[in-house]
Amino acid sequence: MEPKIENIQSKSGKEKLRFIPLGGNGLVTKNMFVYESENDIVIIDCGMGFPEETMFGVDMVIPDINYLRDKKHKIRGILITHGHEDHIGALPFILPEINVPVFATRLTAGLINVRLKERDIQRMVKVNVINPGQKVSLGSFWAEAFRVSHSIPDSVGYALHTPLGTIIHTGDYKFDMTPVDEKPTDTAKLAELGRRGVLALMSDSLRSEKLGFTLSESLIEPKFEEAMEDAPGRVMVTTFSSNISRIKQAIEASRKFGRKVAIVGRSMESNLFVARDLGYIKFPPEILVRLENIEKIPPEKLTLIVAGSQAQSGSALTRIANGAHRFVSIRPGDLVIFSADPIPGHQDPVHTVVDNLTRLGARVIYSDITDEFHVSGHGAQAELMLMLNLTKPKYLVPISGMYRQMKKFVDLAANAGIEPRNAFILEEGDVLEFGSQGAKVDGQIETDNVMVDGLGVGDVGDVVLRDRRVLAEEGIVVVIVTVNRSNGQVVGEPDIVSRGFVYMKEAEPLISEMKELVQKAVPVGKKVSDWHFIREKIMENLEKFLFEKTQRRPMVLPVVVEV
Amino acid sequence: MEPKIENIQSKSGKEKLRFIPLGGNGLVTKNMFVYESENDIVIIDCGMGFPEETMFGVDMVIPDINYLRDKKHKIRGILITHGHEDHIGALPFILPEINVPVFATRLTAGLINVRLKERDIQRMVKVNVINPGQKVSLGSFWAEAFRVSHSIPDSVGYALHTPLGTIIHTGDYKFDMTPVDEKPTDTAKLAELGRRGVLALMSDSLRSEKLGFTLSESLIEPKFEEAMEDAPGRVMVTTFSSNISRIKQAIEASRKFGRKVAIVGRSMESNLFVARDLGYIKFPPEILVRLENIEKIPPEKLTLIVAGSQAQSGSALTRIANGAHRFVSIRPGDLVIFSADPIPGHQDPVHTVVDNLTRLGARVIYSDITDEFHVSGHGAQAELMLMLNLTKPKYLVPISGMYRQMKKFVDLAANAGIEPRNAFILEEGDVLEFGSQGAKVDGQIETDNVMVDGLGVGDVGDVVLRDRRVLAEEGIVVVIVTVNRSNGQVVGEPDIVSRGFVYMKEAEPLISEMKELVQKAVPVGKKVSDWHFIREKIMENLEKFLFEKTQRRPMVLPVVVEV
C-alpha cells in the first residue's frame, strides 16, 4: 500500500520528534543521526571517523551508541545514504549490538556486505536493497529515498515522513548536472516535496565556504585522456578507493588509448569488483592485467590505478614511493597523477610521497600544481541555495560539516529566507526537538569517543590516551623499590629503568642522583605501612628534580615490590 | 680597501670550492650552508627547523655541525640573510661551540641579539652590523650583501667572491616592486654581478610550483583598511610574529580609522619593539594600549594584533579561542583576520581555532574563505626566471625548498638556458665541488638530526625517539621479576604494571594470564645465570601473546630485581 503522507500527519498535536547527531556534525566523518518519536527510532548512516592527531595508536573512532542501549526495542531500522566509509564503516561494530534492518541502495549494500564479510558477520545481518522512490515503513515513519549525485554512484538522500511533517535528510550531495553515472540529483522530487511542505532540511554543509557550483565529475575524464595521450610511459592514477566514478573514468580513458589497466591496492580492487559485479562499471575483462604481469606490457600501453592518495602508511602508493612495493617500482618516464586533494591531516604525508616519487624520477601532478584532476563530491554555496529553494523548509539544520561550515551555511540561508531563529547549528549529542510549538534545542546527551584499537572496541579510554600522550612527549621512568614483606623494610637500593626519556647509557650521573633522591624518600630501617604515601613522595621528588635538570616531565612510575 | 674581484680570481687553477647544505634543502627550514676552500670556511645562515611529526616531544631541530668540529680554525664568519627563525634560530645553540664573527644587517642583528639574550650569551658573541653594498673580507673570500625584498625588512642576499668566481646566494626573496619598506630587491646590483660573470646561483626555490609573480606585500594594507572601516567592533589581526611588514600595515590601517592597537603575545611584542627601536616601524606611542586597559576602549576603536597564526598550542590566539586568555575574551561583533596561510602541519590546528572562535561568536576570515589577507614572501616562477636572467650564472643550485620544488626550478631553468647538467639538486649533506674542470657532486657528508628537547641539545637520539613512538602508539608493559641474589632463584610472583596499553583496572584477566606466561618462562627452583636469555624469552612470549589477544604491540620491559 502506498502510504499517503496526509495519513501520518499529527493528529493529537502532542507528538514530539527528536533529532540527535551522534557524529557527522563538527567532525564531517563518523556520520550517524537519530530520529526519535515516542515509540520509534530511525537511524540514518553509521560511519567511522578518523582519530584525532592526539589519539595515539587509535585505528578509528565510531559513534557512541550509549543513548540507544535502553531503546533498542524502538529502533525500526538504519537507512544508509551511500557507500563511503564515514557513512557505513561503523556498521560492523554496531550491528552486532543493535541488530536491526539496514536499508541501502544496491551498490551501497554491496559495499556494506564486503565490510560485514571482513568481520565475518554477514550472516547475522540482513541488508535490504531499496530503490530511489521506494517507500519504506518504519513504525510511525515512512522513509523514501531520492537520488543525489556524489562521488560514488547510487547515493541517495531520504525524505522522512513523520507525524509532525516531512524531513529531508540529504546525505552528501552536489548538483552535478552531468554526473558520470548519468543519474543527477532528483530536483523534480525535491521540488515536489517542497511543494507539499517540508518541516526541516538536514543538509550536507561541508563546502559552504566555497562560492558558486562545484565542477562536474565528468570534467575529469578528458583530462585523463590528455594526460594518457601525451605520456611517454606508464600513467599512475591515485584516488580514493571508494571513488568509483573516478576509477571508472580512468579505465575509460585508458581504453581509449589502448592502455591496459592494473589495480594496485586491495581496497581499491575489492570496491571495483563489487561495482563491476553489480553493473556499475562495465569494461572488457581483458583490459585488466594482473600486477605480476605488468612488466610484459609496454610502458606507454599501461595505466596503474593505485590506492593511497592520502599517503596512508602501508598503502600501495606509499610503498611505491618508498621503493618497497613488490611489483611496482618507479622509473623515469612514469607519470603519477594525484586525482584527489589531501584531506585534513594528510598534507604533509602527501607532500613527502610527492618528494619521494620525484626523487625516483617520476613526473608528479598534484593539487599544488593543478586543480584539473580533482573535483569535490560536495555542493558549494550555490548548490546549498538551490537545495533550499527546491525544498523550502521551515527549519534548517546543517549536518556533516565543521562548526565554521555549518555556521556559514546558516549565514547564507538568512539571505534565502531562513530566519536565523529557524536555523540550528547542532553539535554532537545536541537534541533538537520538534513539537506543535515549533523546534527548539532541548539539552544534550552525553557522548564519548569510542575508539577502535586493534581488536579492542572502546577499551582505550581517556586514561590510556592521556598516558600515551605523556609517554610520547616525555617517556617514562620506572622506579622499583623492593620491600621485605615480613618487616616492611626496604631491601637493597632502588632500580631505575627509563624508556623514551634519555639515552640510558649516557645518563649514568642522572640515574645515580635519582637513586639517591628515591632513597631519601624511603625511611630506612623503619616499617612502612603507607606505601601509597611513599609512592606519591617518590613521584613528586623525582618529577621536580627531573624538570629542573632537563626541563622535561617524563612519567614517573614508582613500583613497590614485596618479597 | 675596496677589494677588486679580479684580484681574487684563481691563479693556480688548482683551487677547489666546496658547497654543502647542512639544512634548508629538502626541508625549507633549518637553513645553514657551508662554503669551503682549502683554508677558509664561510657559513651562510644558522636557522632552526621544526620537528617532524614523529619526533615526539622534540622542541626543535638544529643543523648538525659535526662536519665543522675539526675545522673551526678555518671558519671566517657566519653571514645572516634575514631575521626569521629558520635562518637565525640555531645561533644561540651553535655559537657557544663555534664562536666566530656573525654578520647581519641592522634589524636582523637586533633580532639575533634578542635570541642571544634569552639564552644569556649576548656577551660572548659579537654581531657585526653590515649594510647592503658593504664588502666584508673573510679569508680568501669577499662577501657583499645586496638587498632583497622578503616578508621582513632588511633582508639581503650575498655575493660571495671566491678564487673560483662569484657565487650569488639569494636567501629568501621575492621581486616585490612596491615593498612596504620601499626597498625592493636590488636588480641593478644583480645585473651588474651578472655582467661581470657569476659562477653559480644558489637560489630560494620554495615557490617554484606557482605561476607568475607573487603579489606585493603592500596590497594587504588597503584590505586591512576596508575591514577596519566596516567592522562594527574589535578587529583582531593574527600573523607570524616575525612578519614586521604585516604588523606595520595593521598598525597603519588602525591609525587611519582612529583605532588603538594592543599587541597580544610576547614574541610579537619583542619583535615589534626591536623594529621600532631601530626605526623600522614608526608610530605615535599613544596608539599602543596595554592589554590590561583594552576594556576601556570602545570596541570599534580597537585593533588587537595577536600572535599564534599557526594555532601553536599555548599561543595567544589559541588561548583566546579556548576562552582561556587572561585579558582577551571573544564577544559577538569581534572580527578575527588570519593574515597568514597555515604552514604545513598546521592546517588542522588552525581549523580547530577557527571553529572555536566561530563558536564564541566571532566572525573569522581565513584562507579557505579569501586569499586577500596574505601574500607569500617568496618569489614565484617568473621571479625565479628574472633572477636567472639578471645573474646569468653558469651553474644553478636551488636551495631552501622541498625536493619537488628544487626539481621544478631545475625544470624551469632548462627553458632559461641552464642545461640540466649544470643544475644540481642537493640534499642535506651533499657536497658540490667547484674546480677548474667545472662542478660536480663529490659525495655526501653524514648529518644527523640534532634535536632540542627542554634543556637537552642532541641528547634525544634515534633510540629515544623510537621508544617514544612505540610508547605513543601502544603503551608499555613493565614486568618485574625478583630474584634472590644468593641462590639465583625467583622470589614470589612477577609484578606487572602497564601504562598507555589497556585500562589496568578492567584488565585483570589479561594480567593474570600474563603472570602465568612469565612464570612459565622462568625456571622454578633452579639457579639462573643467564638472565639476558630469560628476559628475551619473557619479552618474546608476552609480545606474541598480547598481539594475539589484542592485535597491539606494547613495549614489553622485563626488569629483573636482585634482592
Side-chain angles (χ1 to χ4, degrees), chain B residues 187-259:
Chain B
T187 44
K189 179 76 200 171
L190 290 167
E192 183 201 324
L193 290 164
R195 207 173 52 241
R196 291 200 195 178
V198 169
L199 176 65
L201 172 68
M202 282 43 177
S203 167
D204 178 7
S205 56
L206 180 69
R207 238 173 153 250
S208 65
E209 296 160 320
K210 300 297 170 192
L211 296 172
F213 273 76
T214 300
L215 292 174
S216 171
E217 176 67 29
S218 60
L219 294 176
I220 305 292
E221 195 171 319
K223 296 297 165 190
F224 280 157
E225 288 176 8
E226 281 172 36
M228 289 183 190
E229 185 167 19
D230 296 349
R234 302 186 296 183
V235 174
M236 304 191 190
V237 173
T238 183
T239 188
F240 298 99
S241 299
S242 61
N243 199 331
I244 308 279
S245 306
R246 197 66 54 83
I247 298 169
K248 184 180 177 191
Q249 294 183 91
I251 294 177
E252 285 296 329
S254 302
R255 202 170 149 181
K256 201 169 244 173
F257 294 98
R259 286 179 183 261

Side-chain angles (χ1 to χ4, degrees), chain A residues 209 366 427 459 500 552, chain B residues 209 359 366 459 468 552:
Chain A
E209 295 160 319
Y366 52 104
E427 306 221 50
D459 67 339
R552 300 180 204 168
Chain B
E209 296 160 320
R359 249 183 215 110
Y366 52 105
D459 68 338
R468 285 186 185 173
R552 300 180 205 169

